[in-house]
Amino acid sequence: MVPANRHGRERLYVCRPDGSNVAWYDRETGRVNLLGEDSRDDVLQALEPFLTGPVTVGPPPVPTPAELARLTLHPDDDLAPNRPGEALLIALDRDPGPAHRLRPDPRRRALAAEETVGAALDALEGAGWHTLHSIGLPGGDRIHHLLLGPGGLFALHALYARKTRVLVADPMVAVGRREAEPLLRRQRALADRASYALTAEVRPVLALAGPAELTMTAQPRTVRILQDTELTGLARLGGVLKPGDVEALHAMARDRNLWERV
């Protein structure tokens, strides 16, 4: 018996002594997938201590078009394994910077923000949502997080603001005493590029990691401003995409080659 987690689903594989698989039990769907009917009795006997409730037993279901598209991706082109802040993690590994410096490395603060926001988004996985992290775009731009689910598509920019006051005056955003930047204009542009790539509406979100206070002079145009603690509320949105559409868009979006054309 070999436990595994594939694409957010817990599975328990049943293997022969030589290590080859004969079946797997998908806990979420309550299904035992048999690779050969002749092993049915042995498989069910081996799985008996692990089964929770009634199960369906049979051959693996035929892959959907979205699943087939995902399976044909070369591992180097699949964005799904990206960790939150993947690009920053690679950059810091290649060039960690001096051991002692007067000011904290801004890359580490940016990484902390992406990891905080990414963890909140990954927690939505079981509710029919998918998240892709650190999507590189031509020209050096990057979408920090792309969230896909029943409530639609969202491009999120994670901003480090721990225990700091944030002032939003569309399109400018100021964090603490730092100079204001036109972050909302940039985020709208990134969402437009994502919409072009996916031929579907992608809405921009500015996600603030740990702010002490948020002040907005007016409600920003088209951009949602959310704190990291509020991101789980996105799971309550629905009525925009059907489950099949979400899966198809996710299979499309995880292909690195798609984003090289936007």
Side-chain angles (χ1 to χ4, degrees), residues 45-56:
Q45 183 178 352
L47 282 172
E48 184 176 3
F50 306 97
L51 300 179
T52 55
V55 296
T56 305

Side-chain angles (χ1 to χ4, degrees), residues 13 26 55 118 120 133 142 145 165 176 187-188 229 256:
Y13 285 85
D26 191 319
V55 296
H133 305 290
R142 188 164 58 89
H145 313 280
R165 180 173 179 264
Q187 195 56 18
R188 280 191 280 261
T229 54
R256 188 186 307 275

Side-chain angles (χ1 to χ4, degrees), residues 3 36 56 106 108 114 116 119 127 135 148 150 160 172 186 206 261-262:
T56 305
R108 296 195 180 278
E114 290 190 47
T116 298
I135 300 174
L148 311 92
Y160 183 88
M172 308 302 288
R186 294 177 199 166
L206 179 64
R261 303 189 294 270
V262 302

Side-chain angles (χ1 to χ4, degrees), residues 144 155-161 166-175 178-191 204-208 220-225:
H144 291 179
L156 294 97
H157 179 90
L159 182 63
Y160 183 88
V166 178
L167 174 62
V168 178
D170 194 2
M172 308 302 288
V173 178
V175 179
R178 280 182 276 168
E179 186 176 350
E181 298 181 74
L183 286 181
L184 301 190
R185 182 185 302 140
R186 294 177 199 166
Q187 195 56 18
R188 280 191 280 261
L190 287 175
V205 177
L206 179 64
L208 306 175
R221 178 178 60 85
T222 71
V223 183
R224 290 173 182 258
I225 311 290

Side-chain angles (χ1 to χ4, degrees), residues 6-187:
R6 291 177 60 81
H7 312 299
R9 288 186 172 181
E10 290 186 11
R11 288 182 174 179
L12 191 61
Y13 285 85
V14 184
C15 305
R16 296 187 180 93
D18 63 3
S20 59
N21 296 326
V22 292
W24 70 87
Y25 169 44
D26 191 319
R27 297 179 187 276
E28 183 178 337
T29 61
R31 181 180 178 86
V32 176
N33 297 278
L34 294 171
L35 298 181
E37 188 64 31
D38 57 335
S39 60
R40 181 187 185 100
D41 292 340
D42 292 337
V43 166
L44 292 178
Q45 183 178 352
L47 282 172
E48 184 176 3
F50 306 97
L51 300 179
T52 55
V55 296
T56 305
V57 183
V62 177
T64 64
E67 289 170 331
L68 287 173
R70 183 186 70 231
L71 292 171
T72 59
L73 278 181
H74 188 280
D76 290 343
D77 294 329
D78 191 353
L79 296 172
N82 277 12
R83 300 160 292 179
E86 183 76 27
L88 291 171
L89 286 165
I90 293 173
L92 286 165
D93 183 60
R94 291 175 177 171
D95 177 21
H100 302 286
R101 53 191 303 164
L102 295 177
R103 295 182 179 180
D105 189 331
R107 296 177 299 173
R108 296 195 180 278
R109 290 187 170 183
L111 175 60
E114 290 190 47
E115 289 178 333
T116 298
V117 171
L121 297 176
D122 286 341
L124 304 180
E125 188 79 18
W129 294 78
H130 296 289
T131 307
L132 296 171
H133 305 290
S134 201
I135 300 174
L137 302 178
D141 290 327
R142 188 164 58 89
I143 296 174
H144 291 179
H145 313 280
L146 180 68
L147 180 66
L148 311 92
L153 311 178
F154 301 89
L156 294 97
H157 179 90
L159 182 63
Y160 183 88
R162 185 172 182 271
K163 297 182 179 180
T164 309
R165 180 173 179 264
V166 178
L167 174 62
V168 178
D170 194 2
M172 308 302 288
V173 178
V175 179
R177 297 180 180 179
R178 280 182 276 168
E179 186 176 350
E181 298 181 74
L183 286 181
L184 301 190
R185 182 185 302 140
R186 294 177 199 166
Q187 195 56 18

